[in-house]
Amino acid sequence: MATNIITRAGHEKLKSELDHLWRVYRPEITQKVAWAASLGDRSENADYQYNKKLLREIDRRIRYVRKRLEDVKVVDYSPEQEGRVFFGAWVEIENDDGEQKKFRIVGYDEIYERNDYISIDSPMARALLKKEEGDECTVKIPDGEATWYINKISYEN
């Protein structure tokens, strides 16, 4: 089960997506459906069938985003977090091979389309929570365990 928390920026992005779907994209597709329906026989009308399916997908996404906006709790940065890894932190880590990674720990709804975000529910995030710069953490991976060292923690957007 995913944790129901989100950053302020993630919450704004979800609200923006909902607004775009409801005010721009859905009316545009509804117009196309109405136009295609006016052509007559709907059973063999590819425009009608495709856009009707698209409209159902849009409506499904609108319902999902509305529900998520009701269910999630926005977690803002707090000065007490400084110097330790908590939700919303940008973390730079390195392993013994010199491989470096930088990512932000965010909510489940924010990780899509971003390669530099990881979910708070991921094994890496769970292993890093409450650690400080210079600490090491052990992460369980399919092959056993991996050790990472925390180089930097920051809280910018």
Side-chain angles (χ1 to χ4, degrees):
M1 182 71 183
T3 306
N4 285 334
I5 56 178
I6 194 168
T7 63
R8 174 80 48 202
H11 191 263
E12 292 303 318
K13 188 173 179 183
L14 272 183
K15 283 185 3 185
S16 174
E17 177 187 358
L18 179 62
D19 188 56
H20 174 76
L21 286 171
W22 186 249
R23 296 179 191 273
V24 179
Y25 197 43
R26 190 179 192 287
E28 176 185 312
I29 299 305
T30 302
Q31 251 183 351
K32 288 180 181 179
V33 168
W35 170 80
S38 72
L39 299 177
D41 186 11
R42 296 176 187 168
S43 65
E44 294 183 16
N45 186 332
D47 274 337
Y48 176 81
Q49 291 175 354
Y50 172 77
N51 286 303
K52 192 71 173 168
K53 179 180 181 276
L54 189 56
L55 195 56
R56 285 191 302 271
E57 291 170 4
I58 292 168
D59 287 344
R60 187 177 313 120
R61 181 67 183 167
I62 287 171
R63 283 190 305 275
Y64 175 80
V65 173
R66 278 187 176 152
K67 182 75 172 136
R68 289 304 293 162
L69 285 170
E70 290 173 10
D71 292 346
V72 296
K73 178 180 186 272
V74 176
V75 176
D76 288 314
Y77 166 76
S78 172
E80 293 88 41
Q81 294 175 225
E82 202 60 45
R84 297 179 77 188
V85 179
F86 288 103
F87 183 78
W90 281 97
V91 184
E92 291 180 25
I93 58 174
E94 184 175 356
N95 65 11
D96 289 328
D97 298 332
E99 180 184 358
Q100 295 184 349
K101 295 181 183 280
K102 180 180 178 181
F103 47 79
R104 186 175 189 199
I105 300 173
V106 296
Y108 168 79
D109 295 294
E110 300 175 79
I111 60 175
Y112 299 102
E113 299 175 3
R114 294 292 301 252
N115 291 332
D116 57 345
Y117 279 13
I118 65 170
S119 170
I120 185 76
D121 297 316
S122 70
M124 176 66 83
R126 292 289 179 201
L128 288 169
L129 285 176
K130 299 183 182 175
K131 300 272 195 273
E132 298 178 4
E133 287 182 16
D135 285 355
E136 76 175 50
C137 72
T138 304
V139 182
K140 293 184 183 197
I141 59 173
D143 299 340
E145 293 182 337
T147 302
W148 293 88
Y149 305 94
I150 302 172
N151 291 338
K152 185 176 178 189
I153 302 166
S154 59
Y155 285 95
E156 75 272 358
N157 279 333

